[in-house]
Amino acid sequence: MKYAAVLGYGTVGSGVVEVIETNAELIAKNTGDEVKVKYIVDIRDFSADPHADLFVKDFAVVEADPEVNVVVETIGGLRPAYDFTKRALLAGKSVVTSNKELVATHGAELLKIARERGVNYFFEASVGGGIPIIRPMCQCLAANRIDEVFGILNGTTNYILNRMIEDGLTFEAALSEAQEKGYAERNPAADVEGYDACRKICILSALAFGRHVYPESVETDGITKITLEDVAYAESGDMVIKLLGRAKRADDGKIFAFVGPHLVPKAELIANVNGVFNSVMVRGNAVGDTMFYGRGAGKLPTASAVVADVIDACQHTDKTKYFGWEDSDASVVEDSKKFVSAYYLRVSGESVSSAVTEAFGEVKFLSREGAKANEAAFITGTMSGYKLEEKLAVLSKSCTVSAPMKVLALD
Ligand code: HSE
């Protein structure tokens, strides 16, 4: 028998208990041993829950119990998740988590402790919800030098953008729906401002390039400034707006890493990833391009990935599997203004078309029904962020300019 303790009985934690119970027989077969939840740690009152007898309020009970093999951390946030994870690893227990904030912030340190203690720290559910992406990157693609990884990494924002694009819903109405369906973070700013996608691209970057990428070093922009006008302009250019997290090996060995809304040509596979679905593209020097797709949020999809980690941890109680990267600092991240891209801009002002041409030269103008006479939207040629700033300085003398969005172009 293998014993697990679940920390935090929210959407994901309760999903984990449900999957372990519902698929008990199958999980026992795949693990080679029965897996049981011995404790659920949560300070809230669950006396009416069918699992009431499993609840304890004090993590020390789990820490002190030598029978517990695996601790499942689904509390989220940094505190107390960081302390409990550290204590569990130091007590010789493997830890499995869906907590991307913790992995993105303290992953290098926690992985080091796990290695020193001969246990495992697994985090398959921290990126892409139910999509298998961490193990494919660490194991199946281990023969490759990975040069680029990017994707739709947040289900809530993809759901919101999709409802705006397909159904003309307002941002607020679409966000409420995503919250009702249990996709959104406790604080929706983490979704809509791009912080959640930022944490996930940090984890993917660390796996791809072997060095910790800290969230503070990653330029991050969310979807709150996107309007239905932008959606219509993108449509006229056969493009959709998607929030992408991107990381790419730079020529000098550093890493470009950033998060922001992009215009994506409809011909790209990733343009057709809709609703709560996420997708991650990984480019290896031997395999070429690979794409992973699935539900990026939600109770059972996320629990699916967490419980797979529980099974792996139970199968490797005597061995640390290599899942990891070295620690680093902000200098590992390349100045994102050096990244070369085409940009989408929406502007308004007097003689707007000639002002745009004067600043940017030849551009591709977009159109929308009901556009005002003094308004224009266009796609620039490719240029660095520094060049863009120079040109915007000229244009903004006579026009009001929206926040630029990159246009995705794959080589
Ligand atoms: N709020 C996150 C999302 C949950 O919408 O993708 C999964 O990390």
Side-chain angles (χ1 to χ4, degrees), residues 340-398:
V340 172
S341 176
Y343 290 88
Y344 161 89
L345 291 161
R346 181 165 47 81
V347 291
S348 57
E350 293 305 311
S351 311
V352 69
S353 305
S354 50
V356 167
T357 316
E358 196 190 316
F360 279 88
E362 203 176 312
V363 297
K364 181 185 173 199
F365 282 102
L366 302 170
S367 58
R368 76 170 177 97
E369 223 173 85
K372 298 187 192 99
N374 68 344
E375 166 189 311
F378 62 97
I379 306 286
T380 70
T382 54
M383 63 190 73
S384 71
Y386 284 111
K387 212 20 139 214
L388 177 74
E389 271 183 357
E390 275 174 30
K391 290 175 185 291
L392 285 177
V394 176
L395 185 58
S396 54
K397 280 185 193 149
S398 58

Side-chain angles (χ1 to χ4, degrees), residues 120-279:
N120 286 293
Y121 183 49
F122 289 152
F123 44 91
E124 184 64 66
S126 65
V127 180
I131 306 175
I133 179 66
I134 306 294
R135 271 174 193 71
M137 281 183 75
C138 293
Q139 295 179 345
C140 315
L141 297 176
N144 287 262
R145 183 194 70 222
I146 293 175
D147 292 322
E148 184 168 1
V149 54
F150 74 87
I152 294 172
L153 303 174
N154 182 270
T156 300
T157 46
N158 204 46
Y159 184 90
I160 292 171
L161 289 171
N162 202 216
R163 292 289 272 148
M164 289 172 75
I165 294 167
E166 293 296 322
D167 309 301
L169 240 70
T170 62
F171 173 84
E172 289 75 18
L175 172 60
S176 308
E177 275 189 9
Q179 285 174 312
E180 275 161 30
K181 288 172 186 278
Y183 304 150
E185 296 297 301
R186 265 179 298 188
N187 175 1
D191 295 302
V192 299
E193 300 291 356
Y195 310 140
D196 178 74
C198 170
R199 290 160 189 153
K200 292 166 177 168
I201 200 64
C202 288
I203 298 170
L204 293 175
S205 304
L207 285 170
F209 307 118
R211 286 167 293 170
H212 198 109
V213 172
Y214 285 93
E216 312 79 72
S217 330
V218 174
E219 194 180 281
T220 299
D221 200 4
I223 64 165
T224 53
K225 298 185 211 95
I226 294 168
T227 63
L228 289 172
E229 284 78 25
D230 295 321
V231 167
Y233 277 122
E235 174 67 32
S236 78
D238 239 4
M239 292 182 274
V240 286
I241 301 173
K242 294 286 183 195
L243 181 70
L244 300 181
R246 297 177 69 182
K248 195 171 181 174
R249 196 182 287 280
D251 291 339
D252 57 6
K254 290 189 175 190
I255 302 162
F256 280 117
F258 50 85
V259 172
H262 284 65
L263 265 67
V264 181
K266 285 185 182 171
E268 296 292 347
L269 272 179
I270 205 154
N272 300 294
V273 173
N274 291 321
V276 73
F277 283 84
N278 283 191
S279 180

Side-chain angles (χ1 to χ4, degrees), residues 1-156:
M1 177 76 74
K2 296 284 189 296
Y3 288 103
V6 176
L7 314 185
Y9 198 61
T11 306
V12 180
S14 59
V16 167
V17 175
E18 185 179 329
V19 170
I20 290 180
E21 287 181 356
T22 310
N23 293 345
E25 216 173 295
L26 184 95
I27 290 168
K29 192 163 157 256
N30 289 342
T31 310
D33 206 348
E34 259 184 88
V35 178
K36 267 212 153 33
V37 176
K38 186 164 182 181
Y39 303 106
I40 303 172
V41 182
D42 201 303
I43 51 169
R44 294 168 292 180
D45 178 25
F46 285 99
S47 48
D49 190 275
H51 304 93
D53 55 332
L54 301 182
F55 280 87
V56 293
K57 292 196 191 306
D58 188 357
F59 171 71
V61 176
V62 171
E63 188 181 21
D65 187 338
E67 263 190 351
V68 174
N69 306 97
V70 186
V71 171
V72 178
E73 186 271 298
T74 52
I75 305 170
L78 293 182
R79 303 277 168 177
Y82 171 66
D83 310 280
F84 290 173
T85 300
K86 220 166 157 175
R87 281 166 61 186
L89 293 170
L90 289 169
K93 302 173 193 310
S94 287
V95 177
V96 164
T97 190
S98 57
N99 186 339
K100 50 263 162 171
E101 186 176 1
L102 186 58
V103 179
T105 310
H106 295 292
E109 182 198 359
L110 295 169
L111 284 159
K112 186 165 174 273
I113 298 173
R115 278 197 296 275
E116 286 165 1
R117 289 286 153 159
V119 292
N120 286 293
Y121 183 49
F122 289 152
F123 44 91
E124 184 64 66
S126 65
V127 180
I131 306 175
I133 179 66
I134 306 294
R135 271 174 193 71
M137 281 183 75
C138 293
Q139 295 179 345
C140 315
L141 297 176
N144 287 262
R145 183 194 70 222
I146 293 175
D147 292 322
E148 184 168 1
V149 54
F150 74 87
I152 294 172
L153 303 174
N154 182 270
T156 300

